[in-house]
Amino acid sequence: MKGYYIMKIQLSISLLASDQPSALERCLDSLTPLLIQVPSELIIVHTGTDHRIHELVCRYTDSVIPFTWSNDFSAARNVGIKAAKGEWFLYIDDDEWFEDTSEICKFFQSGEYQRYGMACYRQRNYHNWSGTYFTDIQVMRMIRMVPGIHFQNPIHEEPTPLSQPCKYFNAFVHHYGYVRTTDHSKTSRNLMLLKRDMELRPDYIKNYIQLVQEYASEEDWRKAAKYCRQGLTLCKSKGDLSDSRLGWLQTELVELTYMSGSYHQAELEALAILNGDLPHELPAADIYAVLVLSAAKSWNSEKTLQYGLKFEELLKHIENTPQIWTEQNYGSLSVDKIRDPKRLCRLRMACLEAALDIGNQKQAAFFFSRLPWDNAGMIEQLYPDFDRLDSRFHILFSELLKKSPSNSLYQVFCNAIHMKEDQKERTQLFIKCIAESESDFLRKKAVKEILSSGINILDIVCRLDLETWRQYMAETIKNLSDSEAQKAWEASNTLNEENLFYKLILKKELLGRSLLRGYYTGKKFIDTLSEYAETILSYYKIQYRDEIFHQDNLKIFPCSCRFAFLISEALQKLESMEYEKAICLLHSALLLDSEMTGVINELVCEIAEMVNTPIYSPDSEFQILAKQMKETLQKMLDNGQYTEAFSIASQLAPLIPDDLELLRLRQKILRDGTK
């Protein structure tokens, strides 16, 4: 019939839906562009029981198939593939969602799909909920529909038969399924299914690979390595050296040994594989990368440099032979892993340090040049390492810095540090670092230099928001020398009423520094503590209405405000000789700021001296406070704060001389702190 057109489905999308409505909706939304732009169908295989899922998916498709879960992923996938009517089949889980499907849409719209038999996209596996730590692997999740195609394996299922060639997409799905939680039920389930299948198919290599991954996700390196060795033995026995799974197992064994902390053993494993098994280029490059890190952990600079040069040589060869990326790729052993910018940075920084350590300026210059100078964000993350290298190898590293790009802000900072004559230009260079850098590390250092110079700091505060200023002052002031702190006091006087908040924050930190260092006793100590509390209260009084700024509303204020309020009240009680009430207020304050334990202890000493005798009754407020302070001492001991803990213990001892617990703590601080 004229004008008759046979509709053809290019793509069937099958989605396994459990009982996670929020995750499922995100997945479905990410698939919508595919459903709109490509002639396609969506098939939902619902493995759960939540009725809300059915209501949700019916907004997207009429093809909803209920499936009673039977601990067999292939069985669930086969339900979807049996119902599919498309030329291609894409399968996905409800805890995954696409970042962008435009590349896949174009694949079908252009007709390119007709030249391929399967396709891989990337799965971005996150290792923390913040999404800052992840690894990308290539997953084969799109296949051409051919007669007899079905899924096999109860877990980590795979379709068969497959047809070549394979298309590799840069498109990726987000996946949080591997984020570690206290619930290990998913891992336990997977291990049970894999081991059960292994009993039925002991020669099936993929089961060993999946067991390695499951145990590695739990950081059980020993068991992961055990199954990795078994998989390697099985893979070698089959005699197919071109099998990309062999390369994955080789690299994984070396990495697992490294992750366990056995750096020397990791090196032995790596060399045995490199010399005995003669792996292909891609796995060899990955093994050399682990060798670099292992040698660096063992402080062997010559080996670190040797392995680093071999890695760079292999990487250059692979870059010039791009088919290696696809021919030798398997799972996490991929172009994404070898080219991972953060990993490459670690390797090259390790080699740079090794070259400097043995005085090889030529190789140091080579690895310095290989750092990602075109990526300002990554270079800024290396500033703390640059500082460390500069302190260890100042002459050699200074020469290297001269070869960094002219716009390197770290170089600008170093120039300013060594510029003593022209104070005005020096200041402008520091301000340039603050204004243009996104590195907190560099900006804090620049702020410190300006503060400790005693110059006008108005140019700084106009470039920093108040919260950033608070953070910088909290971390910077406590580490100033006495002469630098005096300069900072001078600098604080350059701030005017328009910058009152900034001035109060700076003053609070400077006063706190003096108190924490124990510079004052007697009246000077009490006056300084009073000024410290009043400075904090002034900061908050500006922000709160007078009618709510009283003790009854204390719980609504930030901790620092409540602490200052209690200290101020305690000092008033002290002035009116209400010593027990003062002590009671102090142990409430201690709960709010344990860092001020030494300061509170000094005030207790002052009170004890005023009453001319310690208050020993077991139920006294003093004893309650003493108990709190001993608990704080124990926490400081656990955190390795030996110097601070010993100072507080020494001050507390005369007040409670018969306290055996304090005596024991003091000895433990001495023993552990002098190891």
Side-chain angles (χ1 to χ4, degrees), residues 506-528:
L506 176 54
K507 184 179 178 182
K508 176 245 182 186
E509 293 299 336
L510 286 167
L511 289 167
R513 174 188 176 277
S514 298
L515 290 167
L516 288 169
R517 295 200 175 194
Y519 287 162
Y520 309 128
T521 57
K523 186 177 184 304
K524 178 65 173 174
F525 166 74
I526 290 175
D527 288 346
T528 304

Side-chain angles (χ1 to χ4, degrees), residues 10 88 105-116 144:
Q10 291 180 348
W88 276 67
C105 289
K106 186 178 178 182
F107 177 69
F108 286 98
Q109 291 168 340
S110 66
E112 185 184 7
Y113 75 99
Q114 296 173 354
R115 305 200 303 268
Y116 290 91
R144 179 181 289 279

Side-chain angles (χ1 to χ4, degrees), residues 38 153 391 533 593-594 597 636 646 662:
V38 177
N153 308 336
S391 64
D593 191 350
S594 61
T597 299
M636 295 174 83
F646 184 72
L662 178 62

Side-chain angles (χ1 to χ4, degrees), residues 48-49 135-136 150 161 183 194 212 279 284 287 315 322 351 375 379 391 406 421 430 449 478 514 545 553 644:
T49 57
T135 52
D136 285 357
H150 66 285
D183 180 12
L194 285 166
V212 170
I287 290 171
L315 181 60
C351 293
N375 187 328
I379 288 294
S391 64
S406 57
E421 299 80 14
F430 285 135
E449 291 297 326
K478 65 179 65 174
S514 298
R545 297 196 307 273
N553 290 329
E644 300 93 327

Side-chain angles (χ1 to χ4, degrees), residues 136-230:
D136 285 357
I137 63 170
Q138 287 283 351
V139 290
M140 195 277 296
R141 295 291 175 80
M142 292 174 59
I143 50 177
R144 179 181 289 279
M145 295 285 282
V146 296
I149 194 163
H150 66 285
F151 286 88
Q152 60 182 9
N153 308 336
I155 185 170
H156 301 297
E157 66 284 5
E158 57 184 5
T160 185
L162 297 174
S163 46
Q164 295 288 344
C166 181
K167 169 72 175 180
Y168 289 90
F169 291 112
N170 288 318
F172 66 90
V173 290
H174 299 277
H175 182 232
Y176 280 81
Y178 293 134
V179 176
R180 296 191 69 201
T181 66
T182 54
D183 180 12
H184 300 283
S185 58
K186 184 175 180 180
T187 301
S188 300
R189 177 205 66 190
N190 292 353
L191 289 172
M192 176 194 71
L193 294 175
L194 285 166
K195 289 179 179 179
R196 182 189 298 168
D197 193 55
M198 186 179 283
E199 291 175 3
L200 299 174
R201 297 187 292 172
D203 292 339
Y204 187 58
I205 291 172
K206 192 173 180 182
N207 278 338
Y208 294 90
I209 292 172
Q210 300 300 342
L211 280 167
V212 170
Q213 292 177 322
E214 292 293 342
Y215 280 118
S217 71
E218 292 293 299
E219 297 186 6
D220 190 337
W221 313 120
R222 185 182 61 82
K223 287 185 179 177
K226 169 189 169 184
Y227 286 104
C228 197
R229 292 180 196 281
Q230 291 180 10

